[in-house]
Amino acid sequence: AHLGLRVPAGAAMAVGGERVVWEEGRAVVFDDTYVHSVTHDGDEARYVLVTWFCHPCDVAWRASLGADWLAAHPLPRWCGEGGGGPPIPGYGQRF
């Protein structure tokens, strides 16, 4: 999720082929496993607070929480077998 703090004209993002424009004080929530990019055609600074939510079907994330948590929170049926890792190489790496 991105929360627009200071968003001058000319700042936008593309997520999965859709153009998204931030608004100050409003959050944009999207699945960042889709290819996404940012353009900034202005000359003023853009400030966006970025947060990350765990996807409930991410089996690697779920496994990191331990056996007790897994027993108390089974994989939702709509996840199927849970799927593999994210489709984009490097997703989730810390820099």
Side-chain angles (χ1 to χ4, degrees):
H2 290 189
L3 174 63
L5 301 175
R6 181 171 180 222
V7 186
M13 179 170 54
V15 179
E18 301 269 333
R19 187 171 192 271
V20 178
V21 178
W22 294 281
E23 294 178 43
E24 291 182 10
R26 301 208 44 147
V28 175
V29 179
F30 65 97
D31 183 344
D32 69 353
T33 61
Y34 287 94
V35 174
H36 58 286
S37 61
V38 172
T39 57
H40 188 98
D41 296 327
D43 51 6
E44 293 182 57
R46 167 183 51 91
Y47 296 97
V48 177
L49 177 65
V50 178
T51 60
W52 183 71
F53 300 96
C54 297
H55 194 286
C57 297
D58 183 341
V59 292
W61 169 75
R62 294 175 65 81
S64 73
L65 299 173
D68 290 340
W69 189 91
L70 289 171
H73 303 90
L75 191 67
R77 271 187 273 164
W78 47 265
C79 290
E81 294 300 313
I88 299 172
Y91 174 84
Q93 290 180 348
R94 306 246 187 251
F95 297 99

